[in-house]
Amino acid sequence: MTLLLAALTAAAALWTTPSFLRTRIADVSREYQLYLENVPRSTGQRLYYWQESLTFFAAAPIIGHGTGSTEILFSQKAQGKMGLEAEVTRNPHNQTLNMAVQWGVLGIAVLYATWICHLLLFRGRGFASWLGFLVVTQNIFSSLLNSHLFDFQEGWMYVLGVGLGAGVLTKEGRDGEVHVIATHPRTVADGR
């Protein structure tokens, strides 16, 4: 409950300040109308990419179309078209759809299994667990609107955040075991 109140307070504070976020949210409705008129704008592009990605996924749902196929599929679809339908992208701006187009349900399963394993890794207490959990949850939520694992900067931030967090947790675990073994060898040998 406290977390929800803190999030609502932060959202209200952000909304009252002049910001890019408030302008972007206000533009979504206008951009949606342009999308209906086949005019390329950010919101409409995302909707178009998602719609087409679902179509591509439906054509090869189990193993997908293969690595790097997203741009090829959009290029084939765009031939002779205008407006939004002429848009070509290699990034449908959604991590799940990006995996689905290229590797189908198997790719989605690997993606979600990776996220679940990383979340389970950081379920403990302490700064490293908290930071690692934050990196993973941020990536999951931002991947609803982007393919951050395939973007250079964001992908490396995820790799470094999870890697450093996991390294610290592993070191803490090893240090604890070495300390226990070194100071209490009989306790460890007896299984206590």
Side-chain angles (χ1 to χ4, degrees):
M1 185 64 170
T2 305
L3 185 60
L4 179 62
L5 288 174
L8 289 173
T9 303
L14 283 172
W15 191 258
T16 60
T17 62
S19 72
F20 175 75
L21 176 65
R22 189 173 65 215
T23 304
R24 265 313 281 139
I25 291 172
D27 286 344
V28 168
S29 175
R30 185 175 55 83
E31 287 186 6
Y32 179 73
Q33 290 302 318
L34 292 172
Y35 161 72
L36 295 176
E37 297 169 14
N38 197 24
V39 177
R41 292 289 184 270
S42 178
T43 302
Q45 287 171 315
R46 286 180 196 278
L47 292 172
Y48 176 72
Y49 298 158
W50 296 345
Q51 177 184 1
E52 291 306 315
S53 294
L54 286 171
T55 304
F56 300 147
F57 171 60
I62 306 300
I63 59 171
H65 296 275
T67 303
S69 61
T70 306
E71 187 173 14
I72 295 166
L73 293 167
F74 273 99
S75 293
Q76 292 170 350
K77 183 84 174 174
Q79 291 179 357
K81 304 283 175 59
M82 296 182 64
L84 272 174
E85 294 176 343
E87 294 279 320
V88 175
T89 187
R90 70 177 68 136
N91 180 358
H93 298 289
N94 179 291
Q95 191 68 54
T96 301
L97 290 175
N98 208 335
M99 298 293 281
V101 170
Q102 296 181 74
W103 303 298
V105 172
L106 296 176
I108 295 170
V110 168
L111 173 67
Y112 284 41
T114 301
W115 279 336
I116 290 168
C117 287
H118 289 165
L119 286 172
L120 291 173
L121 174 66
F122 297 118
R123 70 181 182 271
R125 294 179 186 254
F127 181 73
S129 291
W130 175 81
L131 189 59
F133 186 81
L134 188 64
V135 167
V136 176
T137 54
Q138 182 275 335
N139 185 265
I140 291 169
F141 286 109
S142 68
S143 290
L144 295 172
L145 299 173
N146 296 291
S147 299
H148 278 319
L149 291 177
F150 294 161
D151 293 337
F152 183 82
Q153 182 177 342
E154 293 85 354
W156 274 107
M157 287 172 52
Y158 183 80
V159 168
L160 293 173
V162 169
L164 288 171
V168 169
L169 289 177
T170 302
K171 184 177 182 330
E172 287 175 357
R174 285 188 187 151
D175 287 350
E177 290 173 14
V178 170
H179 179 70
V180 169
I181 291 170
T183 58
H184 305 291
R186 194 176 314 151
T187 304
V188 174
D190 294 340
R192 290 185 268 151

